[in-house]
Amino acid sequence: MAERPAVPPHDPPAPRLRHAALAGGLVVVCGAVTIGLVLLAHKLFGWRPDTGALILIVLGTLTLASAAAVGLVVRRTPELTPQVLGFRRPTLRTLHLLWQIPVTFIVAVAVSGLVLTTLFDGSGTGDGSSTAQDIGAMGGGLLPILVLWLLAAVLTPLWEEVLFRGLIFQALAHRMPWFLAALLAAAIFAAIHIAPPALAYVFVLGLSACLLLRFHGNLWAPIILHAVNNTIVVLVGAAAVL
């Protein structure tokens, strides 16, 4: 009896570039529409909210709209299952985050300091001071801090990691060497934040998130890294105000 030929191994499923491009494009559109509506309301109707209200409205709208846009693409694409995006059951391997997250911050701060010293003469607005100004403009109380934390450290890590690591990085890694894909995804992640003094820091953070996804095989790892980073930024900003 002839032996049945071995079934060739299949590559693991990965998001398609068009899905990543669609989700990213919708996020950019959400940002443009939000800013456009604010400028239109100011120009046509003389809307002049105080700085705190403006920050809360723009940040809240951008975050919720971006999360909805990414969620819509995922929901309307049957092949983008949680497993394909990288959501899997955490294992004991997750404990490596206890050293991986601090090492990421040390490297990111060191690289950022080197870049700031070389290109910006050590000057520039850091995330902490910017966040402190935002919290101060919103009144400096506990409620603005809580709202800012929910937006920046809970919702943002979820939709950004689904977009940049779950979709963009994995789609690129399916079509080129994974480390090149990580560099490109990190560069896109840094560029979209539009913060030149923090560019190096955000790039290292994005690259580390890609490495964590590859090491753990689980999107929860970069989500945790992202959430911890943004929580620290909010706490530093709050400490400067309170």
Side-chain angles (χ1 to χ4, degrees), residues 33-59 61:
V33 170
T34 300
I35 300 301
L37 289 175
V38 169
L39 294 177
L40 190 64
H42 173 74
K43 188 72 174 178
L44 295 182
F45 305 105
W47 183 57
R48 292 179 176 83
D50 61 75
T51 304
L54 182 61
I55 291 172
L56 186 59
I57 290 170
V58 172
L59 180 61
T61 302

Side-chain angles (χ1 to χ4, degrees), residues 17-34 61-77 80 159 163-164 167-168 192:
L17 279 175
R18 69 170 182 266
H19 299 144
L22 177 59
L26 286 176
V27 168
V28 172
V29 169
C30 288
V33 170
T34 300
T61 302
L62 282 174
T63 302
L64 295 175
S66 299
V70 174
L72 178 65
V73 173
V74 171
R75 185 175 180 84
R76 300 285 292 182
T77 310
L80 293 179
W159 76 261
L163 174 60
F164 291 101
L167 290 173
I168 293 177
I192 205 171

Side-chain angles (χ1 to χ4, degrees), residues 148 195 217:
L148 188 60

Side-chain angles (χ1 to χ4, degrees), residues 83 86-92 94 216-218 220:
Q83 291 74 23
F87 287 105
R88 299 179 180 90
R89 185 189 301 273
T91 66
L92 288 177
T94 307
H216 292 272
N218 196 326
W220 287 114

Side-chain angles (χ1 to χ4, degrees), residues 9-188:
H10 294 283
D11 290 333
R16 299 177 184 272
L17 279 175
R18 69 170 182 266
H19 299 144
L22 177 59
L26 286 176
V27 168
V28 172
V29 169
C30 288
V33 170
T34 300
I35 300 301
L37 289 175
V38 169
L39 294 177
L40 190 64
H42 173 74
K43 188 72 174 178
L44 295 182
F45 305 105
W47 183 57
R48 292 179 176 83
D50 61 75
T51 304
L54 182 61
I55 291 172
L56 186 59
I57 290 170
V58 172
L59 180 61
T61 302
L62 282 174
T63 302
L64 295 175
S66 299
V70 174
L72 178 65
V73 173
V74 171
R75 185 175 180 84
R76 300 285 292 182
T77 310
E79 63 236 59
L80 293 179
T81 63
Q83 291 74 23
V84 168
L85 292 173
F87 287 105
R88 299 179 180 90
R89 185 189 301 273
T91 66
L92 288 177
R93 194 177 179 86
T94 307
L95 293 176
H96 282 284
L97 290 174
L98 294 175
W99 67 266
Q100 290 170 336
I101 290 178
V103 167
T104 295
F105 292 157
I106 292 171
V107 173
V109 169
V111 172
S112 180
L114 179 62
V115 171
L116 287 174
T117 302
T118 304
L119 300 181
F120 295 93
D121 296 325
S123 62
T125 303
D127 285 337
S129 61
S130 176
T131 304
Q133 293 171 7
D134 292 344
I135 293 174
M138 288 188 289
L142 183 60
L143 182 58
I145 294 172
L146 179 60
V147 171
L148 188 60
W149 177 78
L150 287 173
L151 292 173
V154 178
L155 289 179
T156 295
L158 284 172
W159 76 261
E160 284 195 351
E161 292 308 316
V162 169
L163 174 60
F164 291 101
R165 258 59 68 177
L167 290 173
I168 293 177
F169 168 59
Q170 292 197 103
L172 292 172
H174 202 63
R175 291 158 180 82
M176 64 178 68
W178 71 266
F179 193 72
L180 291 179
L183 290 172
L184 182 54
I188 296 171

